[in-house]
Coordinates of all heavy atoms in Angstrom, one line a residue:
A109 N -26.1 -76.0 -74.6 CA -26.7 -75.1 -75.5 C -25.9 -73.8 -75.8 O -25.9 -73.3 -76.9 CB -28.1 -74.7 -75.0
E110 N -25.1 -73.4 -74.8 CA -24.3 -72.2 -75.0 C -23.2 -72.4 -76.0 O -22.8 -71.4 -76.6 CB -23.8 -71.7 -73.6 CG -24.8 -71.1 -72.7 CD -24.3 -70.8 -71.3 OE1 -23.3 -71.4 -70.9 OE2 -24.9 -70.0 -70.7
V111 N -22.6 -73.6 -76.0 CA -21.4 -73.8 -76.9 C -21.7 -74.5 -78.2 O -20.9 -74.6 -79.0 CB -20.4 -74.7 -76.1 CG1 -20.0 -74.0 -74.8 CG2 -20.9 -76.1 -75.8
I112 N -23.0 -75.0 -78.4 CA -23.2 -75.8 -79.6 C -23.0 -75.0 -80.9 O -22.6 -75.6 -81.9 CB -24.7 -76.4 -79.5 CG1 -24.9 -77.5 -80.6 CG2 -25.7 -75.3 -79.7 CD1 -24.0 -78.7 -80.4
G113 N -23.2 -73.7 -80.8 CA -23.0 -72.9 -82.0 C -21.6 -73.0 -82.6 O -21.4 -72.9 -83.8
S114 N -20.6 -73.3 -81.7 CA -19.2 -73.4 -82.2 C -18.8 -74.8 -82.6 O -17.7 -75.0 -83.0 CB -18.3 -72.9 -81.0 OG -18.4 -73.8 -79.9
L115 N -19.8 -75.8 -82.4 CA -19.5 -77.2 -82.7 C -20.2 -77.7 -83.9 O -20.0 -78.9 -84.2 CB -19.9 -78.0 -81.4 CG -19.3 -77.6 -80.1 CD1 -19.8 -78.4 -79.0 CD2 -17.7 -77.7 -80.2
T116 N -21.0 -76.9 -84.6 CA -21.7 -77.3 -85.8 C -21.4 -76.3 -86.9 O -21.5 -75.1 -86.7 CB -23.2 -77.5 -85.6 OG1 -23.8 -77.7 -86.8 CG2 -23.8 -76.2 -85.0
K117 N -21.1 -76.9 -88.1 CA -21.0 -76.1 -89.3 C -22.2 -76.0 -90.2 O -22.6 -75.0 -90.7 CB -19.8 -76.6 -90.1 CG -18.4 -76.4 -89.4 CD -17.3 -76.9 -90.3 CE -16.0 -76.8 -89.6 NZ -14.8 -77.3 -90.5
T118 N -22.9 -77.1 -90.2 CA -24.1 -77.2 -91.0 C -25.3 -76.5 -90.4 O -26.3 -76.2 -91.0 CB -24.5 -78.6 -91.3 OG1 -24.9 -79.3 -90.1 CG2 -23.4 -79.4 -92.0
R119 N -25.2 -76.3 -89.0 CA -26.3 -75.7 -88.2 C -27.5 -76.7 -88.1 O -28.6 -76.3 -87.8 CB -26.8 -74.3 -88.8 CG -25.7 -73.4 -89.3 CD -24.6 -73.2 -88.3 NE -24.9 -72.3 -87.2 CZ -24.1 -72.1 -86.2 NH1 -23.0 -72.8 -86.0 NH2 -24.4 -71.2 -85.2
H120 N -27.2 -77.9 -88.3 CA -28.2 -79.0 -88.0 C -27.6 -79.9 -86.9 O -26.5 -80.5 -87.1 CB -28.4 -79.8 -89.3 CG -29.1 -79.1 -90.4 ND1 -30.4 -79.4 -90.7 CD2 -28.8 -78.0 -91.2 CE1 -30.8 -78.5 -91.7 NE2 -29.8 -77.7 -92.0
V121 N -28.3 -80.0 -85.8 CA -27.8 -80.7 -84.6 C -28.8 -81.8 -84.3 O -30.0 -81.7 -84.3 CB -27.7 -79.7 -83.4 CG1 -27.4 -80.5 -82.2 CG2 -26.6 -78.7 -83.7
G122 N -28.2 -83.0 -83.9 CA -29.0 -84.1 -83.4 C -29.0 -84.2 -81.9 O -28.1 -83.7 -81.2
L123 N -30.1 -84.8 -81.4 CA -30.2 -85.0 -79.9 C -30.7 -86.4 -79.6 O -31.7 -86.8 -80.1 CB -31.2 -84.0 -79.3 CG -31.5 -84.2 -77.8 CD1 -30.3 -84.0 -76.9 CD2 -32.7 -83.2 -77.4
L124 N -29.9 -87.1 -78.9 CA -30.3 -88.5 -78.4 C -30.5 -88.3 -76.9 O -29.6 -87.9 -76.2 CB -29.2 -89.5 -78.7 CG -28.9 -89.7 -80.2 CD1 -27.6 -90.5 -80.4 CD2 -30.1 -90.4 -80.9
A125 N -31.7 -88.7 -76.4 CA -32.1 -88.4 -75.0 C -33.2 -89.3 -74.6 O -33.7 -90.1 -75.3 CB -32.4 -86.9 -74.8
T126 N -33.6 -89.1 -73.3 CA -34.8 -89.9 -72.8 C -36.1 -89.3 -73.4 O -36.1 -88.2 -73.9 CB -34.9 -89.8 -71.3 OG1 -35.1 -88.5 -70.9 CG2 -33.6 -90.3 -70.7
E127 N -37.1 -90.1 -73.3 CA -38.4 -89.6 -73.8 C -38.9 -88.3 -73.2 O -39.4 -87.4 -73.8 CB -39.5 -90.7 -73.5 CG -40.9 -90.4 -73.9 CD -41.9 -91.4 -73.5 OE1 -41.5 -92.4 -72.9 OE2 -43.1 -91.2 -73.7
G128 N -38.6 -88.2 -71.9 CA -39.0 -86.9 -71.2 C -38.3 -85.7 -71.7 O -38.9 -84.6 -71.8
T129 N -37.0 -85.9 -71.9 CA -36.2 -84.7 -72.4 C -36.6 -84.4 -73.8 O -36.7 -83.2 -74.1 CB -34.7 -85.1 -72.3 OG1 -34.3 -85.3 -70.9 CG2 -33.8 -84.0 -72.8
I130 N -36.8 -85.3 -74.6 CA -37.2 -85.1 -76.0 C -38.6 -84.3 -76.0 O -38.8 -83.3 -76.7 CB -37.3 -86.4 -76.8 CG1 -35.9 -87.0 -77.0 CG2 -38.0 -86.1 -78.2 CD1 -34.9 -86.2 -77.8
K131 N -39.6 -84.9 -75.3 CA -40.9 -84.3 -75.3 C -40.9 -82.8 -74.7 O -41.7 -82.0 -75.1 CB -41.9 -85.1 -74.5 CG -42.3 -86.4 -75.2 CD -43.3 -87.2 -74.4 CE -43.8 -88.4 -75.2 NZ -44.9 -89.1 -74.4
S132 N -40.0 -82.5 -73.8 CA -40.0 -81.2 -73.2 C -39.5 -80.1 -74.2 O -39.8 -79.0 -74.0 CB -39.0 -81.2 -72.0 OG -37.7 -81.2 -72.4
E133 N -38.8 -80.6 -75.2 CA -38.2 -79.6 -76.2 C -37.2 -78.6 -75.5 O -37.0 -77.6 -76.1 CB -39.3 -78.9 -77.0 CG -40.1 -79.9 -77.8 CD -41.1 -79.1 -78.7 OE1 -41.3 -77.9 -78.6 OE2 -41.7 -79.8 -79.6
S134 N -36.7 -78.9 -74.4 CA -35.9 -78.0 -73.6 C -34.6 -77.7 -74.4 O -34.1 -76.5 -74.4 CB -35.5 -78.6 -72.2 OG -36.7 -78.7 -71.5
Y135 N -34.0 -78.7 -75.0 CA -32.8 -78.4 -75.8 C -33.0 -77.5 -76.9 O -32.2 -76.6 -77.2 CB -32.1 -79.8 -76.3 CG -31.2 -80.4 -75.3 CD1 -31.6 -81.3 -74.4 CD2 -29.8 -79.9 -75.2 CE1 -30.7 -81.9 -73.5 CE2 -29.0 -80.5 -74.3 CZ -29.4 -81.5 -73.5 OH -28.5 -82.0 -72.5
T136 N -34.1 -77.7 -77.7 CA -34.4 -76.9 -78.8 C -34.6 -75.4 -78.3 O -34.0 -74.5 -78.9 CB -35.7 -77.4 -79.5 OG1 -35.4 -78.7 -80.0 CG2 -36.0 -76.5 -80.7
L137 N -35.3 -75.3 -77.3 CA -35.6 -73.9 -76.7 C -34.3 -73.2 -76.3 O -34.1 -72.0 -76.6 CB -36.6 -74.0 -75.6 CG -38.0 -74.5 -76.0 CD1 -38.9 -74.7 -74.7 CD2 -38.7 -73.4 -76.8
E138 N -33.5 -73.9 -75.5 CA -32.2 -73.3 -75.0 C -31.3 -73.0 -76.2 O -30.7 -72.0 -76.2 CB -31.6 -74.3 -74.0 CG -32.3 -74.3 -72.7 CD -32.2 -73.0 -71.9 OE1 -31.2 -72.2 -72.1 OE2 -33.2 -72.6 -71.2
I139 N -31.1 -74.0 -77.1 CA -30.2 -73.8 -78.2 C -30.6 -72.6 -79.0 O -29.8 -71.8 -79.4 CB -30.1 -75.1 -79.1 CG1 -29.3 -76.2 -78.3 CG2 -29.4 -74.8 -80.4 CD1 -29.3 -77.5 -79.0
Q140 N -31.9 -72.5 -79.3 CA -32.3 -71.4 -80.2 C -32.4 -70.0 -79.5 O -32.5 -69.0 -80.1 CB -33.7 -71.7 -80.8 CG -33.6 -72.9 -81.7 CD -34.9 -73.3 -82.5 OE1 -35.9 -72.9 -82.1 NE2 -34.7 -74.1 -83.5
K141 N -32.2 -70.0 -78.2 CA -32.0 -68.7 -77.5 C -30.7 -68.1 -77.9 O -30.5 -66.9 -78.1 CB -32.0 -68.9 -76.0 CG -33.3 -69.1 -75.3 CD -33.2 -69.3 -73.8 CE -34.5 -69.7 -73.2 NZ -34.3 -69.9 -71.7
F142 N -29.7 -69.0 -78.1 CA -28.3 -68.5 -78.5 C -28.1 -68.5 -80.0 O -27.4 -67.7 -80.5 CB -27.3 -69.4 -77.8 CG -27.4 -69.4 -76.3 CD1 -28.0 -70.4 -75.6 CD2 -26.9 -68.3 -75.5 CE1 -28.1 -70.4 -74.2 CE2 -27.0 -68.3 -74.1 CZ -27.6 -69.4 -73.5
N143 N -28.7 -69.5 -80.6 CA -28.5 -69.6 -82.1 C -29.9 -70.0 -82.7 O -30.2 -71.2 -83.0 CB -27.5 -70.8 -82.4 CG -26.1 -70.5 -81.8 OD1 -25.3 -69.8 -82.4 ND2 -25.9 -71.0 -80.6
P144 N -30.7 -69.0 -83.0 CA -32.0 -69.2 -83.6 C -32.1 -70.0 -84.9 O -33.1 -70.6 -85.2 CB -32.6 -67.8 -83.7 CG -31.8 -66.9 -82.9 CD -30.4 -67.5 -82.8
E145 N -30.9 -70.0 -85.6 CA -30.9 -70.6 -86.9 C -30.6 -72.1 -86.9 O -30.8 -72.8 -87.9 CB -29.9 -69.9 -87.8 CG -28.4 -70.3 -87.5 CD -27.8 -69.7 -86.3 OE1 -28.5 -69.0 -85.5 OE2 -26.6 -70.0 -86.0
I146 N -30.2 -72.6 -85.7 CA -29.8 -74.0 -85.6 C -31.1 -74.8 -85.6 O -32.0 -74.6 -84.8 CB -29.0 -74.3 -84.4 CG1 -27.6 -73.7 -84.6 CG2 -28.9 -75.8 -84.1 CD1 -26.6 -73.9 -83.4
K147 N -31.1 -75.9 -86.4 CA -32.3 -76.8 -86.4 C -31.9 -78.1 -85.5 O -30.8 -78.6 -85.7 CB -32.6 -77.3 -87.8 CG -33.1 -76.1 -88.6 CD -33.5 -76.6 -90.0 CE -34.0 -75.4 -90.9 NZ -34.4 -75.8 -92.3
V148 N -32.8 -78.5 -84.6 CA -32.5 -79.6 -83.7 C -33.5 -80.7 -84.0 O -34.7 -80.5 -84.1 CB -32.7 -79.2 -82.3 CG1 -32.4 -80.3 -81.3 CG2 -31.8 -78.0 -81.9
A149 N -32.9 -81.9 -84.3 CA -33.8 -83.1 -84.5 C -33.4 -84.1 -83.3 O -32.3 -84.4 -83.0 CB -33.4 -83.8 -85.8
G150 N -34.5 -84.5 -82.7 CA -34.3 -85.4 -81.5 C -34.9 -86.8 -81.6 O -36.0 -86.9 -82.2
V151 N -34.3 -87.8 -81.0 CA -34.8 -89.1 -81.0 C -34.7 -89.6 -79.5 O -33.7 -89.5 -78.9 CB -34.1 -90.0 -81.9 CG1 -34.4 -91.5 -81.7 CG2 -34.4 -89.7 -83.4
A152 N -35.8 -90.2 -79.0 CA -35.8 -90.8 -77.7 C -35.2 -92.2 -77.8 O -35.4 -92.9 -78.7 CB -37.2 -90.9 -77.1
C153 N -34.4 -92.6 -76.8 CA -33.7 -93.8 -76.7 C -34.1 -94.6 -75.5 O -33.3 -94.7 -74.5 CB -32.2 -93.6 -76.8 SG -31.6 -92.5 -78.1
P154 N -35.3 -95.2 -75.4 CA -35.8 -95.7 -74.2 C -35.0 -96.9 -73.6 O -35.1 -97.1 -72.4 CB -37.2 -96.1 -74.6 CG -37.2 -96.3 -76.0 CD -36.2 -95.3 -76.6
F155 N -34.3 -97.6 -74.4 CA -33.6 -98.8 -73.8 C -32.1 -98.5 -73.5 O -31.4 -99.4 -73.0 CB -33.6 -100.0 -74.8 CG -35.0 -100.5 -75.0 CD1 -35.8 -100.1 -76.2 CD2 -35.6 -101.3 -74.1 CE1 -37.0 -100.6 -76.4 CE2 -36.9 -101.7 -74.3 CZ -37.6 -101.4 -75.4
W156 N -31.6 -97.3 -73.8 CA -30.2 -97.1 -73.5 C -29.8 -97.0 -72.1 O -28.8 -97.5 -71.7 CB -29.8 -95.8 -74.2 CG -29.7 -95.9 -75.7 CD1 -30.3 -96.8 -76.5 CD2 -29.0 -95.1 -76.6 NE1 -30.0 -96.6 -77.8 CE2 -29.2 -95.6 -77.9 CE3 -28.1 -94.0 -76.5 CZ2 -28.6 -95.0 -79.1 CZ3 -27.5 -93.4 -77.6 CH2 -27.8 -93.9 -78.9
V157 N -30.7 -96.4 -71.2 CA -30.4 -96.3 -69.8 C -30.3 -97.7 -69.2 O -29.4 -98.0 -68.5 CB -31.4 -95.4 -69.1 CG1 -31.2 -95.6 -67.6 CG2 -31.1 -94.0 -69.5
P158 N -31.3 -98.6 -69.4 CA -31.2 -100.0 -68.8 C -30.0 -100.7 -69.3 O -29.4 -101.5 -68.6 CB -32.5 -100.6 -69.3 CG -33.5 -99.5 -69.6 CD -32.6 -98.4 -70.0
L159 N -29.6 -100.5 -70.6 CA -28.4 -101.2 -71.1 C -27.2 -100.8 -70.2 O -26.3 -101.7 -69.9 CB -28.1 -100.8 -72.5 CG -29.0 -101.4 -73.6 CD1 -28.7 -100.7 -74.9 CD2 -28.7 -102.9 -73.7
V160 N -27.1 -99.5 -69.8 CA -26.0 -99.1 -69.0 C -26.1 -99.6 -67.6 O -25.2 -100.1 -67.0 CB -25.9 -97.5 -69.0 CG1 -24.8 -97.1 -68.0 CG2 -25.5 -97.0 -70.4
E161 N -27.3 -99.4 -67.0 CA -27.5 -99.8 -65.6 C -27.4 -101.3 -65.3 O -27.1 -101.7 -64.2 CB -28.8 -99.2 -65.0 CG -28.7 -97.6 -65.1 CD -29.6 -97.0 -64.0 OE1 -30.4 -97.7 -63.4 OE2 -29.4 -95.8 -63.8
Y162 N -27.7 -102.1 -66.3 CA -27.6 -103.5 -66.1 C -26.3 -104.1 -66.7 O -26.1 -105.3 -67.0 CB -28.8 -104.2 -66.8 CG -30.0 -104.1 -66.0 CD1 -31.0 -103.1 -66.3 CD2 -30.3 -104.8 -64.9 CE1 -32.1 -102.9 -65.6 CE2 -31.5 -104.7 -64.1 CZ -32.4 -103.7 -64.5 OH -33.5 -103.5 -63.7
N163 N -25.3 -103.2 -66.9 CA -23.9 -103.5 -67.3 C -23.9 -104.3 -68.7 O -23.1 -105.2 -68.9 CB -23.2 -104.4 -66.2 CG -23.0 -103.6 -65.0 OD1 -22.6 -102.4 -65.0 ND2 -23.3 -104.2 -63.8
E164 N -24.8 -103.9 -69.6 CA -24.9 -104.5 -70.9 C -24.4 -103.5 -72.0 O -24.5 -103.8 -73.2 CB -26.3 -104.9 -71.2 CG -26.9 -106.0 -70.3 CD -26.2 -107.3 -70.6 OE1 -25.6 -107.5 -71.7 OE2 -26.2 -108.1 -69.6
A165 N -23.7 -102.4 -71.6 CA -23.3 -101.4 -72.5 C -22.3 -102.0 -73.5 O -22.2 -101.5 -74.7 CB -22.7 -100.2 -71.8
D166 N -21.5 -102.9 -73.1 CA -20.5 -103.5 -74.0 C -20.9 -104.8 -74.7 O -20.2 -105.4 -75.5 CB -19.2 -103.8 -73.2 CG -18.6 -102.5 -72.7 OD1 -18.6 -101.5 -73.4 OD2 -18.0 -102.6 -71.5
G167 N -22.1 -105.3 -74.3 CA -22.6 -106.5 -74.9 C -23.2 -106.4 -76.3 O -23.5 -105.3 -76.8
P168 N -23.3 -107.5 -77.0 CA -23.8 -107.5 -78.3 C -25.2 -107.0 -78.5 O -25.6 -106.5 -79.5 CB -23.7 -109.0 -78.8 CG -23.7 -109.8 -77.5 CD -23.0 -108.9 -76.5
G169 N -26.0 -107.2 -77.4 CA -27.4 -106.7 -77.5 C -27.5 -105.2 -77.6 O -28.5 -104.7 -78.2

Side-chain angles (χ1 to χ4, degrees):
E110 288 176 338
V111 301
I112 193 63
S114 65
L115 303 176
T116 173
K117 294 180 180 179
T118 65
R119 318 313 278 172
H120 289 252
V121 172
L123 172 66
L124 297 169
T126 65
E127 178 184 358
T129 299
I130 296 295
K131 285 185 175 180
S132 75
E133 298 187 348
S134 294
Y135 269 95
T136 301
L137 294 171
E138 286 295 326
I139 288 172
Q140 292 184 345
K141 285 180 185 177
F142 302 101
N143 299 277
E145 78 286 0
I146 290 181
K147 296 182 179 180
V148 182
V151 167
C153 308
F155 294 103
W156 286 24
V157 168
L159 284 172
V160 172
E161 297 209 345
Y162 286 98
N163 296 315
E164 294 292 336
D166 297 324

